[in-house]
Structures are given as structure tokens and as C-alpha cells.
Amino acid sequence: MPEKFESEVLNLRKRFTDRDSADYIFKPAYHKRIPADGVAHYMETIWEQVQTNKDLDLPTQQELLAQFRCDEIAAGALEEFNVQAKAQRRPVEAGKPVEGLGAMMNDWRTRALGRFDRDGSRYHAGVYARKRADLLASIDAVLAGLFLGQLKNLHKAALGTFKRELSEGLKGDGYSFADVVVRTRTDCERRFVEGASEALLLDTDWTYQDELELLREEMDSVAVQCRSDEVKKMVNLIEVRLSG
């Protein structure tokens, strides 16, 4: 009812500005005629009416305001966070491990939550806590994707290094196949665990154990194939010597 609203606003304005108005607010005489010793009780009665009036439900109004403002604050913090995360998404998707990714992700998350806490904590505590949890969930969902991508890249890099260093270690004479495999595998596994641990964030249920187990299985498969090639090499060498 916009037209009625406008007219009522004009009428309300007259109560503050028109001295001749019957409802003028700032009259020199105290028009309620309330004795001084009854003012306290009178005000308590008014406040009781305010509290019991559903149309003047102040806690609800505070919560609505908190929801609106916390949503705005969270949106701003999330937008800034997404800009930062996007800058590293392409390198991760390119298939190469990003050095120091865990430290960067932790910094992005800390900054976003700090910005939200600074402005959002002034509002209704329950709404603030709920909206903060929602913001954290949104942030961690993005970071979890980067973490999984980092694990895949670390896995790929470790397996490639294992193949290469294993091949180098099996060249020449006088080597122990078992020693070369154990040494190379241990070193590559250590590199993977160091990179994966760096990318883990506190207060998350993330884990790299599944990816580590898969890497171990693939390194075992490569080692078995190399062992088979070594056996064939020895058999061929013996046959050559016997035929000679």
C-alpha cells in the first residue's frame, strides 16, 4: 500500500514539525499526566507491551538483521577468497605440484574468516556462528578440490621419479636389485608424504592415506615388472655365455 504509506508518513511528520497539530510531540506540557512516582511502573508496563507484541518481536528483528548482514559480509569474504584460490587452480589443474600450496590455502582461509569475524561478530551470536560455519564449509569445499588435485600431482611426480631413478640405479654392474628398489621407493614415498602433509589443513578430516596406498601399489607393480626384466636379462646373459 505505497500511497497510504506515503500519506501516513506525511501525517507522522506533522507531529514533529507542526506546533498546531493536536498530536504535536514536543508540547511544553507533559500531556500524559503521569505522576513522577508512577513513571517507573508506567514505563515497565509499556515495555511489557512491547515484549508481548508479536509485531514488535525484537529478537526476531535482530536475527533477521544479523542474517542479512552476515550474508553480505560472508559474500564479500568469499569473493576475495575465490580470487586468491583461482590463481592457483590453473597450476594444479596443469598437473604439477604447487610448492607451498598448504601454506597459501591456510592463509586464504584465515584471511577470509578473519574478515568475517571482524564484521560479523557484532551481530546476533547464534546467527553469526551459523553463518561462520556455512562460510567455512564453502571455503573448505574449494580447498578440498585443490588438495585432491595436489595429491594427484604429487602421486604422478613420485611415480615418475621412481621409474626414472629405478632405471638409473639398475644400470651398470654390481648393484643389488632389492637394495635399489627399497632405496628408490623409500625416497619417493618420503617426498610424497612431505608434500601431502604440507597441503593438509588443520580442523579438517582430509587424509592422503588412500592416495599413498595407491602409489605404493603402482610402485610395487613397476618393481615387479623391472624384476621380470632383470630375470630375462640374466637368462639371456647366461644363454649367451653358454652358447659361447
Side-chain angles (χ1 to χ4, degrees):
M1 304 172 65
E3 293 181 358
K4 186 175 181 180
F5 175 81
E6 293 293 342
S7 64
E8 290 298 323
V9 168
L10 292 176
N11 291 334
L12 179 60
R13 180 184 299 169
K14 290 180 179 179
R15 297 187 59 190
F16 291 87
T17 60
D18 187 359
R19 295 177 180 273
D20 297 328
S21 174
D23 295 330
Y24 182 62
I25 296 294
F26 306 114
K27 292 183 177 180
Y30 184 56
H31 63 285
K32 289 297 182 181
R33 301 292 190 271
I34 303 296
D37 58 358
V39 171
H41 178 72
Y42 176 67
M43 295 180 68
E44 288 178 1
T45 303
I46 293 177
W47 183 239
E48 182 180 350
Q49 291 296 320
V50 170
Q51 289 181 311
T52 57
N53 191 327
K54 293 183 178 181
D55 294 331
L56 297 175
D57 189 350
L58 299 183
T60 299
Q61 297 301 318
Q62 290 176 355
E63 290 182 20
L64 290 175
L65 173 63
Q67 290 179 20
F68 175 75
R69 286 294 295 129
C70 284
D71 281 340
E72 281 191 333
I73 297 167
L78 192 60
E79 182 179 3
E80 180 179 345
F81 162 80
N82 285 330
V83 171
Q84 295 170 325
K86 185 178 180 180
Q88 295 301 326
R89 185 177 298 137
R90 182 171 297 178
V92 171
E93 292 176 349
K96 294 183 179 181
V98 177
E99 185 175 355
L101 180 63
M104 287 188 284
M105 294 194 299
N106 184 67
D107 181 63
W108 303 336
R109 186 170 69 162
T110 300
R111 286 174 177 268
L113 292 177
R115 175 177 175 178
F116 180 81
D117 291 340
R118 183 183 66 247
D119 298 330
S121 60
R122 299 174 299 165
Y123 294 93
H124 187 279
V127 175
Y128 156 70
R130 186 169 67 252
K131 294 298 181 179
R132 189 183 194 278
D134 292 343
L135 174 61
L136 180 59
S138 298
I139 290 173
D140 283 352
V142 174
L143 296 181
L146 291 176
F147 173 71
L148 292 176
Q150 180 81 331
L151 291 188
K152 297 294 183 184
N153 296 341
L154 290 169
H155 178 155
K156 178 182 176 182
L159 185 60
T161 300
F162 178 74
K163 292 178 179 179
R164 183 176 64 257
E165 293 185 356
L166 184 60
S167 178
E168 291 293 328
L170 297 177
K171 291 181 179 179
D173 299 322
Y175 60 82
S176 168
F177 179 82
D179 290 344
V180 172
V181 170
V182 171
R183 182 177 65 253
T184 305
R185 173 182 172 137
T186 300
D187 185 54
C188 291
E189 186 173 314
R190 175 185 57 78
R191 295 178 191 176
F192 173 85
V193 171
E194 287 178 353
S197 298
E198 193 280 332
L200 277 175
L201 294 184
L202 297 176
D203 305 322
T204 65
D205 58 356
W206 301 352
T207 177
Y208 56 79
Q209 291 302 319
D210 290 344
E211 197 70 32
L212 178 58
E213 289 301 320
L214 183 58
L215 173 62
R216 288 169 173 168
E217 292 175 4
E218 293 184 357
M219 287 194 294
D220 285 342
S221 179
V222 171
V224 168
Q225 182 60 49
C226 286
R227 183 182 296 112
S228 177
D229 294 340
E230 284 292 297
V231 171
K232 290 180 181 179
K233 187 191 301 183
M234 292 177 62
V235 170
N236 291 337
L237 181 59
I238 293 173
E239 289 179 348
V240 169
R241 289 179 177 178
L242 290 177
S243 63

